[in-house]
Amino acid sequence: MKANYFLPFFILLFLWILIGCDPGRPYSEEVAAQLPGQISYNYHIRPILTDRCFSCHGPDAAARKADLRLDEAASAYQILQSGRVAIQPGKLHKSEVYQRIYSQDPELQMPPPDSKLTLSDHEKALICKWIGQGGVYEPHWSFVPVRPPQLPVLKHPEAVANPIDHFIQAKLEQADLTLSPPADKEQLIRRLSFDLTGLPPSLAEIDAFLRDNSPQAYEKVVDRLLDSDAYAERMAQDWLDLARYADSHGLHSDGWRSMYPWRDWVIGAFREHIPYDQFLTWQLAGDLLPDPSREQLVATGFNRNHKTTAEGGAVDEEYRTEYVHDRVATTATTFMGLTMECARCHDHKYDPVSQEEYYRFFAFFNQVDELGLTGDDGNAGPNLLLPAPETELKLKAIRQQLREKESALVLSNNELAEQQAFIKQLKIQSPSAPKQAGVHLPFDLIADEKIDRYAYSRVSGEAAIVEDTERGTVLELDGEYEFINVRDQGLFEQFQPFSASIWIRPQGRSSSQTIMGNSAQKGTFWRGWDFALDSLNHLSLRLIHALPHDVLAVRTAVAVPTGSWTHVAFSYDGSGRAAGVELYVNGKPTEKVIIYDRLQRSIYPIAFSKERTKTPLRLGKSYRAFTGEYGIFSGRLDEFHLFARALSGLEVAELAGTSSVKTVLEQYQKEPELVLGRALLTTWQVQHPPPEQLELTALRQQQQELLDTVPETMIMQEVAVPRATFILHRGNYNEPTREVQAGTPAAVLPFADTLEPNRLGLAKWLLQPDHPLTSRVLANRIWQQFFGRGLVDTPHDLGLQGSLPIHPQLLDWLAAHLMGNGWNIQELQKQIVLSATYRQSSKMNAALTEKDPDNRLLARGPSYRLPAEMIRDNALAAADLLEYRVGGPSVKPVQPPGLWQEKTSSTHLLRKYEPDAGSN
């Protein structure tokens, strides 16, 4: 009987276990009463899991425990290796998550005690009720494409002024609240003026508004402020903060930089009401637009505002990589509100951004032609020259004259026969060696560290004097500290022709090595010139105003052999162009490869003080060798020549011992071939420049002197040959792993094949209608400008760790409205300030104190602390020190003298500086 009595009970228990019936909720009635009726994964569960669970059970595969992901439904629902299921929808007691969060066993409890993370009873109850309701996952709200929501139906629509108020009023009605009465006109114009211009209204502006009783009085004030210079400066203030704008480098000696042209462009863009899609595109990729204008190039300074280093011991590639990382973080934060930098070393622990996707995004910015090690002061390239209109006219006239003079120097084949006078002169001179050598060092004798008897040249270090079986007494350098200083020589400007030759016998090395030069002083961006062997032993000549952008660089197509003697030489005609350079190996001109052909300004060495200096020419080394490009020469040197003019090919052959002017002259007299005649004519011309050549040099000097006075700004510019991008192990610049191509996080929006795989394609991707973040981020920031906080409290993070929007439908309406109206920022701002929500009184009452103390529901007008600049300008205005005038207010002088006075205009106004006034 007893067995039969208990049999039904056991059968029911078995069935209950089989079907997973809930024996009862694990939380109290008191906790249950505080739970929402319907639990949302996005708004209730995801914030808990993100904060307490995703570090071990989230997107980061390297940190994941038990191969369990709680950020994806498929993983959370699957059977684990233990045979259990983390979340079994609708079956709480069969869900391992439930068992673990309520376990008291330290070995089983989740989160683990050693994590120092805990769940409150309320949070545990939310998770349990969510599982019981089916454990339904939802995509993160900010990764869902923006769709304009329907306006809510209101019980009391009479208080609304525009669509914004519909969404606010709908929330207020749920809380049994309503909008507050409008603010007084005095308060309203003060609020509006600060929000739109950052400045208090003048007494005249207040009086005019009070006297205007028309229905359009307030809107007229809005339009006037939106169309003012002060509005553009107010908007630029926030954007400069986002773009990490500064007038100094930020690292090492924190030297000055001149980025005010970009700052002025930002102000002008807001002043001209440029649409945001254009504003974004120009700043990210203005240089990649077809035939970019000066404005479009200046705009790209947005991503050149990062910190840079001039510390001598810095590794160039390490810091170049750091600058790319900075651009990734700034671009992702500014335009997408994502913390992508978290995926630099591993998969993002919270947002669906893998390390591979991070470096695919990194690839967009890894193509900028720049160096990691910059100068102590000034702008690091690539830079853009910004001549004033009158200077541009002068330069244009000089360029036209240069073209005319250069054409006049070109002799046709027919004219050659008519100009034979030089033949007689060459015969009379009976030349046996090139004339006008500035320096000749044979290295046959070194005494007391002197290479020549006049002590112009000295050895630094312990250079060895050795007997060479081929060339007799020569100089040997071991690639450590030995080099030769040649005092007062090699100090050329870019408009001055010059040439040099030397015999070299390099040792086999994998690194680059300098043959001669006076460049590589980092404080002046490696200004000067150098003649070197690159890492593949190509012969290279560089004339440098500033690396890497204002430079002429050419190299030979073939390598110079190691372990044997080679005669190498170059000749430069003073044109400032790669076409004016010839490279010679063993007396013969060799095919050259143009690396960079954009030399614009002076190459004369200068000191840190920017004063011209007689930096000595060095053989075996340039000024400093830590740049990682050209180190110290290792091998033997002999017979150095330096000329303050261009050499002809015939003269170089004579220096190399493969031919001579005399021999060719004799051949030409026997058989006047055209090629021989041209070689002789060229030799005559370089030794006896015609008046047109001197006039050409004078014009080039004028052009350079003008360009040297022109201000510049840093811009973006792609490398000529695309740079490969690799996933970096733990983010270390010197630990590349697998190569990746440019791309974007798929969870945000896949990067279409039709888009260019560069920054321009990235800009287009950000502006696609289905992009879920760009418009929301901007709309949220604009809202914050007027209410002190955004609809999302974390404007820099709309990802899984960011705050949830208090008015999600309103945010989507603002974002959709922004895109639908051509990305017109001013139109959206006008919508906001014309709303009844914005115009409310900010007074508190008992009901608001109880139901909405932080004004999250916006049942009253905004009330927040002014930024520092506005506090200052308000104080100046209250003290009658702010003078309102056309073009913006300035600060009045204080009388009597001796009292404190503000000597400059309010720095908040961000006035445009003249080019010669500096940037600090």
Side-chain angles (χ1 to χ4, degrees):
M1 287 293 293
K2 289 183 178 181
N4 291 337
Y5 177 82
F6 286 108
L7 183 60
F9 172 78
F10 284 119
I11 292 173
L12 290 173
L13 179 61
F14 174 78
L15 291 173
W16 170 74
I17 294 174
L18 183 65
I19 64 175
C21 291
D22 191 341
R25 56 175 177 251
Y27 44 88
S28 66
E29 291 291 342
E30 182 180 358
V31 173
Q34 298 174 355
L35 299 178
Q38 183 63 39
I39 307 299
S40 164
Y41 173 76
N42 261 341
Y43 284 85
H44 302 122
I45 304 304
R46 193 200 301 268
I48 301 172
L49 299 183
T50 300
D51 194 44
R52 320 296 164 76
C53 308
F54 283 4
S55 58
C56 296
H57 302 293
D60 185 3
R64 194 176 303 139
K65 304 294 176 61
D67 199 27
L68 170 64
R69 293 186 66 166
L70 290 176
D71 63 314
E72 290 183 346
S75 177
Y77 295 163
Q78 73 180 2
I79 299 175
L80 302 174
Q81 293 179 350
S82 63
R84 300 174 180 176
V85 179
I87 295 173
Q88 194 163 123
K91 299 179 180 180
L92 177 62
H93 287 263
K94 280 188 170 291
S95 300
E96 186 70 8
V97 166
Y98 158 70
Q99 303 292 346
R100 293 298 189 100
I101 64 176
Y102 278 100
S103 174
Q104 298 301 311
D105 185 345
E107 297 296 321
L108 300 176
Q109 184 179 341
M110 289 293 163
D114 59 2
S115 71
K116 309 301 181 184
L117 300 173
T118 59
L119 293 170
S120 67
D121 290 342
H122 179 75
E123 290 168 333
K124 292 177 182 179
L126 281 171
I127 293 172
C128 289
K129 188 171 182 178
W130 171 67
I131 295 174
Q133 290 181 345
V136 178
Y137 276 75
E138 301 165 336
H140 186 57
W141 67 271
S142 71
F143 296 155
V144 178
V146 175
R147 297 290 181 263
Q150 295 293 322
L151 294 183
V153 178
L154 303 177
K155 298 176 184 176
H156 305 287
E158 59 275 2
V160 304
N162 66 21
I164 291 173
D165 301 323
H166 278 265
F167 296 99
I168 300 298
Q169 181 66 20
K171 278 274 189 180
L172 293 177
E173 288 180 355
Q174 293 174 12
D176 198 24
L177 293 171
T178 187
L179 294 169
S180 295
D184 295 337
K185 293 184 76 173
E186 293 95 332
Q187 295 173 332
L188 197 55
I189 190 173
R190 179 179 172 82
R191 177 190 301 172
L192 185 68
S193 185
F194 269 118
D195 286 344
L196 286 180
T197 69
L199 297 164
S202 67
L203 292 176
E205 291 169 341
I206 296 173
D207 291 340
F209 181 50
L210 293 177
R211 287 193 301 268
D212 190 346
N213 295 316
S214 68
Q216 295 78 32
Y218 177 70
E219 186 173 358
K220 285 190 289 185
V221 174
V222 172
D223 290 337
R224 174 178 59 80
L225 294 177
L226 284 173
D227 199 38
S228 67
D229 291 340
Y231 162 79
E233 292 160 350
R234 162 71 183 96
M235 295 297 293
Q237 174 189 333
D238 289 345
W239 195 256
L240 265 58
D241 288 343
L242 288 169
R244 67 272 195 242
Y245 175 80
D247 287 323
S248 64
H249 295 327
L251 295 175
H252 187 46
S253 59
D254 198 24
W256 68 271
R257 69 167 52 148
S258 175
M259 285 297 288
Y260 70 87
W262 173 79
R263 178 204 65 191
D264 291 344
W265 176 85
V266 172
I267 297 173
F270 283 115
R271 184 69 182 86
E272 298 301 320
H273 297 184
I274 289 178
Y276 186 71
D277 55 348
Q278 180 176 309
F279 186 71
L280 178 153
T281 301
W282 287 19
Q283 291 186 89
L284 275 187
D287 58 309
L288 299 178
L289 293 169
D291 192 20
S293 66
R294 177 189 289 191
E295 277 195 292
Q296 289 167 336
L297 292 172
V298 170
T300 64
F302 169 82
N303 256 328
R304 296 300 311 284
N305 279 311
H306 53 76
K307 293 182 287 188
T308 59
T309 186
E311 198 278 309
V315 178
D316 186 78
E317 179 61 12
E318 178 182 8
Y319 276 89
R320 188 199 67 79
T321 304
E322 286 299 321
Y323 305 157
V324 182
H325 286 304
D326 180 279
R327 293 185 187 112
V328 171
T330 300
T331 301
T333 300
T334 300
F335 299 112
M336 295 195 292
L338 282 186
T339 56
M340 278 190 66
E341 64 269 28
C342 297
R344 169 178 173 173
C345 303
H346 48 69
D347 293 345
H348 203 297
K349 292 187 180 295
Y350 305 104
D351 293 334
V353 180
S354 67
Q355 189 184 25
E356 177 177 341
E357 288 176 319
Y358 173 88
Y359 282 99
R360 294 188 69 193
F361 202 84
F362 180 99
F364 289 115
F365 303 99
N366 196 32
Q367 309 305 323
V368 181
D369 190 7
E370 66 182 333
L371 299 177
L373 185 60
T374 67
D376 287 317
D377 290 307
N379 290 3
N383 289 333
L384 175 69
L385 296 180
L386 300 171
E390 58 274 15
T391 304
E392 188 64 65
L393 288 175
K394 293 178 182 177
L395 288 169
K396 186 177 179 179
I398 291 174
R399 292 183 187 119
Q400 178 60 32
Q401 293 178 64
L402 283 171
R403 285 191 291 268
E404 294 171 357
K405 295 294 183 184
E406 287 169 351
S407 298
L409 283 174
V410 177
L411 296 177
S412 68
N413 292 340
N414 294 332
E415 293 172 329
L416 182 62
E418 300 173 4
Q419 300 187 32
Q420 297 295 316
F422 68 93
I423 298 293
K424 293 181 179 180
Q425 295 298 323
L426 284 174
K427 187 175 180 180
I428 293 171
Q429 291 179 6
S430 300
S432 59
K435 305 298 182 181
Q436 303 167 348
V439 179
H440 176 209
L441 303 179
F443 301 155
D444 289 339
L445 179 65
I446 298 178
D448 299 327
E449 295 186 341
K450 300 176 186 177
I451 297 178
D452 65 292
R453 59 195 179 96
Y454 302 109
Y456 282 115
S457 308
R458 290 183 175 274
V459 174
S460 177
E462 298 179 359
I465 307 166
V466 299
E467 289 299 320
D468 187 88
T469 56
E470 294 182 44
R471 298 206 50 85
T473 304
V474 298
L475 190 67
E476 186 171 74
L477 309 177
D478 67 3
E480 292 297 329
Y481 302 103
E482 294 77 21
F483 56 90
I484 298 96
N485 276 332
V486 187
R487 180 164 58 90
D488 297 341
Q489 298 297 323
L491 300 169
F492 299 109
E493 281 287 11
Q494 64 116 316
F495 57 82
Q496 294 175 316
F498 65 101
S499 310
S501 72
I502 194 169
W503 284 90
I504 64 171
R505 187 186 181 196
Q507 299 300 317
R509 295 182 65 191
S510 59
S511 60
S512 305
Q513 43 190 326
T514 303
I515 300 170
M516 66 182 77
N518 59 15
S519 65
Q521 185 171 338
K522 75 175 178 72
T524 55
F525 296 94
W526 300 270
R527 191 157 150 179
W529 64 273
D530 51 49
F531 190 45
L533 296 172
D534 67 16
S535 59
L536 298 177
N537 263 35
H538 296 116
L539 198 61
S540 163
L541 176 69
R542 299 188 303 179
L543 278 61
I544 305 164
H545 173 76
L547 288 179
H549 64 290
D550 199 339
V551 60
L552 186 162
V554 296
R555 68 167 176 82
T556 57
V558 296
V560 172
T562 59
S564 61
W565 283 100
T566 303
H567 185 267
V568 297
F570 71 85
S571 176
Y572 168 64
D573 69 357
S575 65
R577 296 191 294 269
V581 174
E582 291 292 344
L583 300 175
Y584 298 88
V585 176
N586 289 326
K588 295 182 179 180
T590 182
E591 180 186 354
K592 66 189 177 190
V593 177
I594 298 174
I595 306 300
Y596 218 101
D597 193 8
R598 195 166 180 263
L599 181 62
Q600 302 178 95
R601 299 194 278 179
S602 172
I603 65 169
Y604 196 98
I606 55 175
F608 290 98
S609 63
K610 302 301 180 287
E611 296 294 328
R612 289 166 68 95
T613 180
K614 291 189 176 181
T615 302
L617 170 65
R618 290 179 171 178
L619 306 183
K621 179 186 176 183
S622 192
Y623 188 75
R624 296 185 73 174
F626 61 76
T627 64
E629 283 197 275
Y630 295 137
I632 301 174
F633 184 81
S634 175
R636 294 179 176 181
L637 301 175
D638 194 25
E639 205 70 32
F640 167 63
H641 285 89
L642 178 71
F643 297 84
R645 64 173 178 82
L647 288 180
S648 71
L650 189 52
E651 289 178 305
V652 174
E654 188 161 341
L655 291 170
T658 60
S659 184
S660 70
V661 177
K662 182 178 180 180
T663 301
V664 173
L665 180 59
E666 291 173 352
Q667 291 175 341
Y668 182 76
Q669 288 176 321
K670 293 178 181 178
E671 188 174 353
E673 294 182 5
L674 182 63
V675 174
L676 297 178
R678 279 198 168 279
L680 292 169
L681 174 61
T682 302
T683 302
W684 175 261
Q685 287 178 324
V686 296
Q687 291 185 3
H688 305 84
E692 292 84 0
Q693 180 65 57
L694 300 177
E695 293 170 3
L696 194 60
T697 300
L699 282 170
R700 289 168 177 165
Q701 180 175 358
Q702 291 179 39
Q703 177 178 251
Q704 179 198 290
E705 289 173 350
L706 267 179
L707 287 171
D708 282 346
T709 66
V710 171
E712 63 185 5
T713 189
M714 296 194 291
I715 61 169
M716 298 285 274
Q717 180 177 293
E718 300 284 84
V719 292
V721 179
R723 184 182 286 123
T725 298
F726 298 87
I727 298 173
L728 302 179
H729 177 62
R730 298 196 61 80
N732 294 325
Y733 78 96
N734 57 351
E735 295 188 63
T737 58
R738 181 162 48 86
E739 185 175 355
V740 294
Q741 304 302 317
T744 54
V748 176
L749 184 68
F751 193 77
D753 294 337
T754 55
L755 296 174
E756 302 93 324
N758 57 23
R759 286 178 283 112
L760 183 57
L762 177 63
K764 294 177 181 178
W765 175 81
L766 285 166
L767 294 165
Q768 288 185 299
D770 280 346
H771 198 290
L773 292 169
T774 310
S775 57
R776 283 189 175 114
V777 168
L778 179 58
N780 189 59
R781 285 210 182 95
I782 291 173
W783 187 269
Q784 178 178 279
Q785 177 184 345
F786 298 101
F787 291 90
R789 65 165 19 131
L791 294 170
V792 179
D793 277 353
T794 52
H796 299 316
D797 187 3
L798 269 64
L800 274 66
Q801 282 286 78
S803 299
L804 293 168
I806 189 65
H807 294 280
Q809 285 191 312
L810 173 57
L811 179 58
D812 279 8
W813 185 90
L814 294 170
H817 185 80
L818 181 65
M819 289 190 289
N821 282 273
W823 295 93
N824 189 327
I825 292 175
Q826 291 74 27
E827 197 279 335
L828 183 62
Q829 290 174 317
K830 186 172 180 178
Q831 285 282 332
I832 292 173
V833 298
L834 290 180
S835 69
T837 302
Y838 177 79
R839 289 190 276 177
Q840 296 176 95
S841 167
S842 60
K843 293 179 180 178
M844 289 286 287
N845 56 45
L848 294 179
T849 302
E850 178 185 354
K851 295 183 178 181
D852 190 21
D854 295 327
N855 200 29
R856 301 300 305 276
L857 298 177
L858 296 171
R860 59 184 175 86
S863 177
Y864 61 91
R865 186 184 298 275
L866 292 175
E869 295 92 344
M870 297 186 193
I871 292 174
R872 180 206 53 219
D873 288 340
N874 187 54
L876 290 170
D880 195 29
L881 297 178
L882 202 62
E883 180 178 339
Y884 292 83
R885 55 179 172 75
V886 176
S890 63
V891 180
K892 294 179 180 179
V894 177
Q895 297 294 336
L899 297 178
W900 173 88
Q901 60 179 311
E902 185 81 21
K903 295 183 179 180
T904 62
S905 69
S906 172
T907 54
H908 164 60
L909 298 178
L910 302 174
R911 294 184 311 164
K912 180 175 181 179
Y913 291 90
E914 294 301 322
D916 59 352
S919 62
N920 290 334

